[in-house]
mmCIF file of all heavy atoms in Angstrom:
data_model
loop_
_atom_site.group_PDB
_atom_site.id
_atom_site.type_symbol
_atom_site.label_atom_id
_atom_site.label_comp_id
_atom_site.label_asym_id
_atom_site.label_seq_id
_atom_site.Cartn_x
_atom_site.Cartn_y
_atom_site.Cartn_z
ATOM 1 N N GLY A 1 5.916 -10.968 15.203
ATOM 2 C CA GLY A 1 7.243 -10.967 14.670
ATOM 3 C C GLY A 1 7.529 -12.158 13.679
ATOM 4 O O GLY A 1 8.616 -12.631 13.591
ATOM 5 N N MET A 2 6.458 -12.606 13.097
ATOM 6 C CA MET A 2 6.677 -13.732 12.223
ATOM 7 C C MET A 2 6.947 -13.279 10.777
ATOM 8 O O MET A 2 6.457 -12.228 10.415
ATOM 9 C CB MET A 2 5.339 -14.614 12.147
ATOM 10 C CG MET A 2 5.185 -15.359 13.575
ATOM 11 S SD MET A 2 3.828 -16.599 13.481
ATOM 12 C CE MET A 2 2.337 -15.619 13.277
ATOM 13 N N PHE A 3 7.460 -14.114 9.946
ATOM 14 C CA PHE A 3 7.746 -13.867 8.588
ATOM 15 C C PHE A 3 7.384 -15.149 7.758
ATOM 16 O O PHE A 3 7.315 -16.170 8.452
ATOM 17 C CB PHE A 3 9.148 -13.419 8.328
ATOM 18 C CG PHE A 3 10.136 -14.209 9.038
ATOM 19 C CD1 PHE A 3 10.775 -15.316 8.516
ATOM 20 C CD2 PHE A 3 10.448 -13.905 10.357
ATOM 21 C CE1 PHE A 3 11.685 -16.035 9.305
ATOM 22 C CE2 PHE A 3 11.443 -14.643 11.098
ATOM 23 C CZ PHE A 3 12.031 -15.730 10.517
ATOM 24 N N GLN A 4 7.148 -15.070 6.546
ATOM 25 C CA GLN A 4 6.830 -16.045 5.587
ATOM 26 C C GLN A 4 8.010 -16.602 4.846
ATOM 27 O O GLN A 4 8.739 -15.734 4.315
ATOM 28 C CB GLN A 4 5.720 -15.566 4.641
ATOM 29 C CG GLN A 4 4.946 -16.766 4.001
ATOM 30 C CD GLN A 4 5.651 -17.423 2.914
ATOM 31 O OE1 GLN A 4 5.737 -18.728 3.064
ATOM 32 N NE2 GLN A 4 6.193 -16.816 1.953
ATOM 33 N N ILE A 5 8.284 -17.888 4.829
ATOM 34 C CA ILE A 5 9.652 -18.305 4.306
ATOM 35 C C ILE A 5 9.550 -19.046 2.959
ATOM 36 O O ILE A 5 10.579 -19.424 2.398
ATOM 37 C CB ILE A 5 10.410 -19.239 5.293
ATOM 38 C CG1 ILE A 5 9.653 -20.489 5.657
ATOM 39 C CG2 ILE A 5 10.695 -18.414 6.639
ATOM 40 C CD1 ILE A 5 10.428 -21.528 6.405
ATOM 41 N N VAL A 6 8.379 -19.338 2.434
ATOM 42 C CA VAL A 6 8.277 -20.021 1.174
ATOM 43 C C VAL A 6 8.423 -18.971 0.040
ATOM 44 O O VAL A 6 7.735 -17.919 0.103
ATOM 45 C CB VAL A 6 6.965 -20.762 1.011
ATOM 46 C CG1 VAL A 6 6.843 -21.520 -0.360
ATOM 47 C CG2 VAL A 6 6.737 -21.822 2.174
ATOM 48 N N ARG A 7 9.318 -19.259 -0.946
ATOM 49 C CA ARG A 7 9.592 -18.118 -1.890
ATOM 50 C C ARG A 7 9.185 -18.438 -3.323
ATOM 51 O O ARG A 7 9.380 -17.676 -4.208
ATOM 52 C CB ARG A 7 11.053 -17.944 -1.902
ATOM 53 C CG ARG A 7 11.677 -17.482 -0.529
ATOM 54 C CD ARG A 7 11.127 -16.079 -0.247
ATOM 55 N NE ARG A 7 11.585 -15.655 1.155
ATOM 56 C CZ ARG A 7 10.828 -15.167 2.050
ATOM 57 N NH1 ARG A 7 9.516 -14.933 1.749
ATOM 58 N NH2 ARG A 7 11.279 -14.749 3.182
ATOM 59 N N GLU A 8 8.644 -19.670 -3.574
ATOM 60 C CA GLU A 8 8.196 -20.102 -4.897
ATOM 61 C C GLU A 8 6.762 -20.342 -4.886
ATOM 62 O O GLU A 8 6.176 -20.720 -3.926
ATOM 63 C CB GLU A 8 8.999 -21.267 -5.316
ATOM 64 C CG GLU A 8 10.533 -21.098 -5.335
ATOM 65 C CD GLU A 8 11.184 -22.397 -5.706
ATOM 66 O OE1 GLU A 8 10.699 -23.120 -6.618
ATOM 67 O OE2 GLU A 8 12.160 -22.679 -4.999
ATOM 68 N N PRO A 9 6.175 -20.309 -6.117
ATOM 69 C CA PRO A 9 4.704 -20.686 -6.251
ATOM 70 C C PRO A 9 4.540 -22.120 -5.849
ATOM 71 O O PRO A 9 5.420 -23.000 -6.034
ATOM 72 C CB PRO A 9 4.433 -20.521 -7.747
ATOM 73 C CG PRO A 9 5.434 -19.611 -8.247
ATOM 74 C CD PRO A 9 6.691 -19.828 -7.444
ATOM 75 N N THR A 10 3.381 -22.434 -5.253
ATOM 76 C CA THR A 10 3.084 -23.805 -4.837
ATOM 77 C C THR A 10 1.887 -24.451 -5.570
ATOM 78 O O THR A 10 1.632 -25.576 -5.498
ATOM 79 C CB THR A 10 2.835 -23.984 -3.310
ATOM 80 O OG1 THR A 10 1.786 -23.014 -2.985
ATOM 81 C CG2 THR A 10 4.065 -23.520 -2.558
ATOM 82 N N ARG A 11 1.077 -23.579 -6.145
ATOM 83 C CA ARG A 11 -0.052 -24.004 -6.970
ATOM 84 C C ARG A 11 -0.125 -23.174 -8.309
ATOM 85 O O ARG A 11 -0.425 -21.982 -8.274
ATOM 86 C CB ARG A 11 -1.431 -23.964 -6.227
ATOM 87 C CG ARG A 11 -2.458 -24.534 -7.070
ATOM 88 C CD ARG A 11 -3.841 -24.690 -6.278
ATOM 89 N NE ARG A 11 -4.786 -25.445 -7.036
ATOM 90 C CZ ARG A 11 -5.635 -24.928 -7.861
ATOM 91 N NH1 ARG A 11 -5.635 -23.638 -8.108
ATOM 92 N NH2 ARG A 11 -6.535 -25.657 -8.472
ATOM 93 N N LYS A 12 0.263 -23.699 -9.350
ATOM 94 C CA LYS A 12 0.351 -22.983 -10.642
ATOM 95 C C LYS A 12 1.244 -21.824 -10.446
ATOM 96 O O LYS A 12 2.376 -21.939 -9.975
ATOM 97 C CB LYS A 12 -1.078 -22.645 -11.222
ATOM 98 C CG LYS A 12 -1.830 -23.836 -11.549
ATOM 99 C CD LYS A 12 -3.187 -23.506 -12.126
ATOM 100 C CE LYS A 12 -3.959 -24.797 -12.397
ATOM 101 N NZ LYS A 12 -5.286 -24.445 -12.868
ATOM 102 N N ASP A 13 0.766 -20.527 -10.712
ATOM 103 C CA ASP A 13 1.600 -19.457 -10.582
ATOM 104 C C ASP A 13 1.507 -18.713 -9.255
ATOM 105 O O ASP A 13 2.121 -17.748 -9.080
ATOM 106 C CB ASP A 13 1.279 -18.320 -11.663
ATOM 107 C CG ASP A 13 1.515 -18.816 -13.041
ATOM 108 O OD1 ASP A 13 2.429 -19.618 -13.196
ATOM 109 O OD2 ASP A 13 0.854 -18.298 -13.967
ATOM 110 N N TYR A 14 0.894 -19.322 -8.259
ATOM 111 C CA TYR A 14 0.527 -18.658 -7.055
ATOM 112 C C TYR A 14 1.119 -19.361 -5.827
ATOM 113 O O TYR A 14 1.316 -20.607 -5.752
ATOM 114 C CB TYR A 14 -0.993 -18.544 -6.859
ATOM 115 C CG TYR A 14 -1.669 -17.884 -7.936
ATOM 116 C CD1 TYR A 14 -2.552 -18.483 -8.769
ATOM 117 C CD2 TYR A 14 -1.327 -16.571 -8.202
ATOM 118 C CE1 TYR A 14 -3.136 -17.856 -9.866
ATOM 119 C CE2 TYR A 14 -1.917 -15.836 -9.301
ATOM 120 C CZ TYR A 14 -2.820 -16.459 -10.109
ATOM 121 O OH TYR A 14 -3.393 -15.814 -11.149
ATOM 122 N N LEU A 15 1.542 -18.553 -4.795
ATOM 123 C CA LEU A 15 2.034 -19.028 -3.539
ATOM 124 C C LEU A 15 0.830 -19.145 -2.611
ATOM 125 O O LEU A 15 0.400 -18.157 -2.025
ATOM 126 C CB LEU A 15 3.060 -18.057 -3.028
ATOM 127 C CG LEU A 15 3.589 -18.284 -1.638
ATOM 128 C CD1 LEU A 15 4.154 -19.646 -1.488
ATOM 129 C CD2 LEU A 15 4.641 -17.306 -1.272
ATOM 130 N N LEU A 16 0.264 -20.313 -2.352
ATOM 131 C CA LEU A 16 -0.838 -20.513 -1.466
ATOM 132 C C LEU A 16 -0.447 -21.328 -0.214
ATOM 133 O O LEU A 16 -1.196 -21.264 0.750
ATOM 134 C CB LEU A 16 -1.965 -21.297 -2.246
ATOM 135 C CG LEU A 16 -2.482 -20.635 -3.528
ATOM 136 C CD1 LEU A 16 -3.574 -21.425 -4.150
ATOM 137 C CD2 LEU A 16 -3.033 -19.169 -3.237
ATOM 138 N N ASP A 17 0.663 -22.038 -0.374
ATOM 139 C CA ASP A 17 1.122 -22.867 0.806
ATOM 140 C C ASP A 17 2.198 -22.144 1.618
ATOM 141 O O ASP A 17 3.275 -22.006 1.023
ATOM 142 C CB ASP A 17 1.533 -24.222 0.356
ATOM 143 C CG ASP A 17 0.449 -24.922 -0.437
ATOM 144 O OD1 ASP A 17 -0.407 -25.594 0.165
ATOM 145 O OD2 ASP A 17 0.429 -24.768 -1.804
ATOM 146 N N LEU A 18 1.899 -21.690 2.730
ATOM 147 C CA LEU A 18 2.794 -20.794 3.486
ATOM 148 C C LEU A 18 3.403 -21.451 4.778
ATOM 149 O O LEU A 18 2.822 -22.380 5.380
ATOM 150 C CB LEU A 18 2.039 -19.490 3.979
ATOM 151 C CG LEU A 18 1.209 -18.757 2.929
ATOM 152 C CD1 LEU A 18 0.604 -17.560 3.554
ATOM 153 C CD2 LEU A 18 2.132 -18.337 1.735
ATOM 154 N N VAL A 19 4.633 -21.001 5.138
ATOM 155 C CA VAL A 19 5.143 -21.270 6.435
ATOM 156 C C VAL A 19 5.429 -20.069 7.071
ATOM 157 O O VAL A 19 6.257 -19.240 6.661
ATOM 158 C CB VAL A 19 6.462 -22.197 6.190
ATOM 159 C CG1 VAL A 19 7.100 -22.441 7.582
ATOM 160 C CG2 VAL A 19 6.118 -23.434 5.498
ATOM 161 N N LEU A 20 4.718 -19.729 8.163
ATOM 162 C CA LEU A 20 4.888 -18.499 8.983
ATOM 163 C C LEU A 20 5.555 -18.808 10.255
ATOM 164 O O LEU A 20 5.161 -19.643 11.010
ATOM 165 C CB LEU A 20 3.508 -17.905 9.251
ATOM 166 C CG LEU A 20 2.577 -17.814 8.063
ATOM 167 C CD1 LEU A 20 1.162 -17.361 8.509
ATOM 168 C CD2 LEU A 20 3.069 -16.799 7.050
ATOM 169 N N THR A 21 6.548 -18.072 10.580
ATOM 170 C CA THR A 21 7.360 -18.351 11.777
ATOM 171 C C THR A 21 8.141 -17.158 12.349
ATOM 172 O O THR A 21 8.318 -16.174 11.562
ATOM 173 C CB THR A 21 8.408 -19.551 11.536
ATOM 174 O OG1 THR A 21 8.925 -19.958 12.722
ATOM 175 C CG2 THR A 21 9.473 -19.078 10.518
ATOM 176 N N ASP A 22 8.440 -17.108 13.631
ATOM 177 C CA ASP A 22 9.318 -16.138 14.168
ATOM 178 C C ASP A 22 10.652 -16.804 14.514
ATOM 179 O O ASP A 22 11.473 -16.050 15.135
ATOM 180 C CB ASP A 22 8.637 -15.609 15.456
ATOM 181 C CG ASP A 22 8.393 -16.602 16.556
ATOM 182 O OD1 ASP A 22 8.589 -17.801 16.312
ATOM 183 O OD2 ASP A 22 7.975 -16.167 17.674
ATOM 184 N N LEU A 23 10.970 -17.950 14.030
ATOM 185 C CA LEU A 23 12.230 -18.715 14.348
ATOM 186 C C LEU A 23 13.167 -18.326 13.272
ATOM 187 O O LEU A 23 12.831 -18.336 12.064
ATOM 188 C CB LEU A 23 11.954 -20.190 14.361
ATOM 189 C CG LEU A 23 10.960 -20.703 15.432
ATOM 190 C CD1 LEU A 23 10.587 -22.188 15.092
ATOM 191 C CD2 LEU A 23 11.520 -20.516 16.840
ATOM 192 N N GLN A 24 14.391 -18.039 13.655
ATOM 193 C CA GLN A 24 15.410 -17.729 12.730
ATOM 194 C C GLN A 24 15.972 -19.013 12.182
ATOM 195 O O GLN A 24 16.019 -20.050 12.687
ATOM 196 C CB GLN A 24 16.599 -16.899 13.427
ATOM 197 C CG GLN A 24 16.076 -15.556 14.025
ATOM 198 C CD GLN A 24 15.452 -14.664 12.987
ATOM 199 O OE1 GLN A 24 16.073 -14.471 11.947
ATOM 200 N NE2 GLN A 24 14.384 -14.064 13.245
ATOM 201 N N ASN A 25 16.635 -18.835 11.013
ATOM 202 C CA ASN A 25 17.386 -19.996 10.380
ATOM 203 C C ASN A 25 16.420 -21.159 9.965
ATOM 204 O O ASN A 25 16.966 -22.329 9.893
ATOM 205 C CB ASN A 25 18.583 -20.504 11.194
ATOM 206 C CG ASN A 25 19.482 -19.377 11.393
ATOM 207 O OD1 ASN A 25 19.834 -18.567 10.510
ATOM 208 N ND2 ASN A 25 19.942 -19.197 12.689
ATOM 209 N N VAL A 26 15.179 -21.031 9.771
ATOM 210 C CA VAL A 26 14.303 -22.024 9.305
ATOM 211 C C VAL A 26 14.327 -21.878 7.735
ATOM 212 O O VAL A 26 14.216 -20.833 7.201
ATOM 213 C CB VAL A 26 12.856 -21.808 9.783
ATOM 214 C CG1 VAL A 26 11.949 -22.888 9.173
ATOM 215 C CG2 VAL A 26 12.700 -21.886 11.358
ATOM 216 N N SER A 27 14.488 -22.959 7.034
ATOM 217 C CA SER A 27 14.558 -22.997 5.598
ATOM 218 C C SER A 27 13.378 -23.755 5.031
ATOM 219 O O SER A 27 12.909 -24.651 5.606
ATOM 220 C CB SER A 27 15.907 -23.526 5.062
ATOM 221 O OG SER A 27 16.062 -24.908 5.504
ATOM 222 N N ALA A 28 12.950 -23.370 3.774
ATOM 223 C CA ALA A 28 11.941 -24.065 3.075
ATOM 224 C C ALA A 28 12.327 -24.295 1.634
ATOM 225 O O ALA A 28 12.973 -23.414 0.998
ATOM 226 C CB ALA A 28 10.658 -23.252 3.098
ATOM 227 N N SER A 29 11.961 -25.422 1.126
ATOM 228 C CA SER A 29 12.173 -25.690 -0.270
ATOM 229 C C SER A 29 10.878 -26.341 -0.825
ATOM 230 O O SER A 29 10.165 -27.019 -0.137
ATOM 231 C CB SER A 29 13.432 -26.606 -0.528
ATOM 232 O OG SER A 29 13.250 -27.742 0.143
ATOM 233 N N ILE A 30 10.797 -26.216 -2.164
ATOM 234 C CA ILE A 30 9.598 -26.774 -2.812
ATOM 235 C C ILE A 30 9.886 -28.207 -3.333
ATOM 236 O O ILE A 30 11.023 -28.422 -3.817
ATOM 237 C CB ILE A 30 9.180 -25.909 -3.960
ATOM 238 C CG1 ILE A 30 8.851 -24.464 -3.558
ATOM 239 C CG2 ILE A 30 7.967 -26.499 -4.731
ATOM 240 C CD1 ILE A 30 7.732 -24.402 -2.453
ATOM 241 N N THR A 31 8.989 -29.105 -3.119
ATOM 242 C CA THR A 31 9.095 -30.451 -3.605
ATOM 243 C C THR A 31 8.075 -30.803 -4.728
ATOM 244 O O THR A 31 7.217 -29.914 -5.008
ATOM 245 C CB THR A 31 8.867 -31.514 -2.488
ATOM 246 O OG1 THR A 31 7.499 -31.413 -2.050
ATOM 247 C CG2 THR A 31 9.810 -31.205 -1.321
ATOM 248 N N PRO A 32 8.154 -31.836 -5.465
ATOM 249 C CA PRO A 32 7.284 -32.194 -6.539
ATOM 250 C C PRO A 32 5.748 -32.066 -6.040
ATOM 251 O O PRO A 32 5.467 -32.260 -4.907
ATOM 252 C CB PRO A 32 7.694 -33.592 -6.952
ATOM 253 C CG PRO A 32 9.098 -33.667 -6.571
ATOM 254 C CD PRO A 32 9.215 -32.891 -5.247
ATOM 255 N N SER A 33 4.962 -31.946 -7.048
ATOM 256 C CA SER A 33 3.446 -31.879 -6.777
ATOM 257 C C SER A 33 2.865 -33.100 -6.220
ATOM 258 O O SER A 33 3.245 -34.209 -6.474
ATOM 259 C CB SER A 33 2.708 -31.552 -8.077
ATOM 260 O OG SER A 33 3.096 -30.285 -8.560
ATOM 261 N N ILE A 34 1.888 -32.786 -5.241
ATOM 262 C CA ILE A 34 1.076 -33.836 -4.655
ATOM 263 C C ILE A 34 -0.350 -33.362 -5.070
ATOM 264 O O ILE A 34 -0.812 -32.314 -4.624
ATOM 265 C CB ILE A 34 1.224 -33.983 -3.132
ATOM 266 C CG1 ILE A 34 2.632 -34.224 -2.744
ATOM 267 C CG2 ILE A 34 0.274 -34.913 -2.601
ATOM 268 C CD1 ILE A 34 3.024 -34.148 -1.295
ATOM 269 N N ALA A 35 -1.008 -34.043 -5.843
ATOM 270 C CA ALA A 35 -2.314 -33.582 -6.458
ATOM 271 C C ALA A 35 -2.015 -32.212 -7.236
ATOM 272 O O ALA A 35 -1.148 -32.197 -7.982
ATOM 273 C CB ALA A 35 -3.369 -33.427 -5.375
ATOM 274 N N ASP A 36 -2.746 -31.154 -6.868
ATOM 275 C CA ASP A 36 -2.575 -29.863 -7.592
ATOM 276 C C ASP A 36 -1.737 -28.866 -6.911
ATOM 277 O O ASP A 36 -1.620 -27.716 -7.331
ATOM 278 C CB ASP A 36 -3.896 -29.293 -7.932
ATOM 279 C CG ASP A 36 -4.710 -28.979 -6.638
ATOM 280 O OD1 ASP A 36 -4.413 -29.471 -5.580
ATOM 281 O OD2 ASP A 36 -5.700 -28.180 -6.733
ATOM 282 N N HIS A 37 -1.026 -29.238 -5.816
ATOM 283 C CA HIS A 37 -0.118 -28.379 -5.111
ATOM 284 C C HIS A 37 1.285 -28.984 -5.002
ATOM 285 O O HIS A 37 1.392 -30.223 -4.947
ATOM 286 C CB HIS A 37 -0.579 -28.128 -3.680
ATOM 287 C CG HIS A 37 -1.764 -27.225 -3.576
ATOM 288 N ND1 HIS A 37 -1.665 -25.939 -2.940
ATOM 289 C CD2 HIS A 37 -3.029 -27.410 -3.850
ATOM 290 C CE1 HIS A 37 -2.844 -25.371 -2.995
ATOM 291 N NE2 HIS A 37 -3.674 -26.245 -3.571
ATOM 292 N N LYS A 38 2.293 -28.165 -5.032
ATOM 293 C CA LYS A 38 3.694 -28.661 -4.750
ATOM 294 C C LYS A 38 3.746 -28.857 -3.210
ATOM 295 O O LYS A 38 3.118 -28.205 -2.430
ATOM 296 C CB LYS A 38 4.698 -27.720 -5.255
ATOM 297 C CG LYS A 38 4.661 -27.660 -6.795
ATOM 298 C CD LYS A 38 5.735 -26.710 -7.349
ATOM 299 C CE LYS A 38 5.631 -26.679 -8.844
ATOM 300 N NZ LYS A 38 6.561 -25.668 -9.345
ATOM 301 N N GLY A 39 4.616 -29.708 -2.818
ATOM 302 C CA GLY A 39 4.899 -29.866 -1.459
ATOM 303 C C GLY A 39 5.876 -28.887 -0.954
ATOM 304 O O GLY A 39 6.591 -28.187 -1.745
ATOM 305 N N VAL A 40 5.919 -28.656 0.409
ATOM 306 C CA VAL A 40 6.916 -27.746 1.023
ATOM 307 C C VAL A 40 7.736 -28.499 2.098
ATOM 308 O O VAL A 40 7.036 -29.132 2.921
ATOM 309 C CB VAL A 40 6.239 -26.514 1.678
ATOM 310 C CG1 VAL A 40 7.247 -25.568 2.373
ATOM 311 C CG2 VAL A 40 5.451 -25.717 0.581
ATOM 312 N N LEU A 41 8.950 -28.485 1.993
ATOM 313 C CA LEU A 41 9.799 -29.171 2.887
ATOM 314 C C LEU A 41 10.468 -28.067 3.718
ATOM 315 O O LEU A 41 11.206 -27.155 3.125
ATOM 316 C CB LEU A 41 10.912 -30.001 2.332
ATOM 317 C CG LEU A 41 11.964 -30.621 3.185
ATOM 318 C CD1 LEU A 41 11.437 -31.639 4.115
ATOM 319 C CD2 LEU A 41 13.129 -31.149 2.297
ATOM 320 N N PHE A 42 10.272 -28.002 5.061
ATOM 321 C CA PHE A 42 10.963 -26.965 5.834
ATOM 322 C C PHE A 42 11.726 -27.711 6.955
ATOM 323 O O PHE A 42 11.440 -28.698 7.446
ATOM 324 C CB PHE A 42 10.062 -25.864 6.405
ATOM 325 C CG PHE A 42 8.933 -26.346 7.255
ATOM 326 C CD1 PHE A 42 9.037 -26.413 8.566
ATOM 327 C CD2 PHE A 42 7.706 -26.719 6.558
ATOM 328 C CE1 PHE A 42 7.862 -26.881 9.365
ATOM 329 C CE2 PHE A 42 6.597 -27.202 7.341
ATOM 330 C CZ PHE A 42 6.649 -27.235 8.735
ATOM 331 N N LYS A 43 12.941 -27.049 7.276
ATOM 332 C CA LYS A 43 13.877 -27.670 8.197
ATOM 333 C C LYS A 43 14.037 -26.549 9.389
ATOM 334 O O LYS A 43 14.196 -25.488 9.142
ATOM 335 C CB LYS A 43 15.220 -27.878 7.567
ATOM 336 C CG LYS A 43 15.121 -28.960 6.430
ATOM 337 C CD LYS A 43 16.522 -29.164 5.850
ATOM 338 C CE LYS A 43 16.362 -30.168 4.586
ATOM 339 N NZ LYS A 43 17.700 -30.327 4.064
ATOM 340 N N LEU A 44 14.093 -27.184 10.548
ATOM 341 C CA LEU A 44 14.337 -26.324 11.832
ATOM 342 C C LEU A 44 15.648 -26.591 12.337
ATOM 343 O O LEU A 44 16.054 -27.753 12.429
ATOM 344 C CB LEU A 44 13.228 -26.763 12.822
ATOM 345 C CG LEU A 44 11.800 -26.504 12.432
ATOM 346 C CD1 LEU A 44 10.880 -27.136 13.467
ATOM 347 C CD2 LEU A 44 11.515 -25.016 12.240
ATOM 348 N N PRO A 45 16.466 -25.594 12.706
ATOM 349 C CA PRO A 45 17.839 -25.757 13.141
ATOM 350 C C PRO A 45 17.899 -26.192 14.585
ATOM 351 O O PRO A 45 18.674 -25.573 15.292
ATOM 352 C CB PRO A 45 18.415 -24.444 12.787
ATOM 353 C CG PRO A 45 17.327 -23.480 13.042
ATOM 354 C CD PRO A 45 16.148 -24.177 12.570
#
């Protein structure tokens, strides 16, 4: 019953950095790049 919450590309045009969860109301946002990947910030309610 898990779903993936990252909605934007994290490395060039591709979504490679995932957050998989079965928890409701978890949010994710993309942060500036660290090396060749963007960071992912997720918040738990």
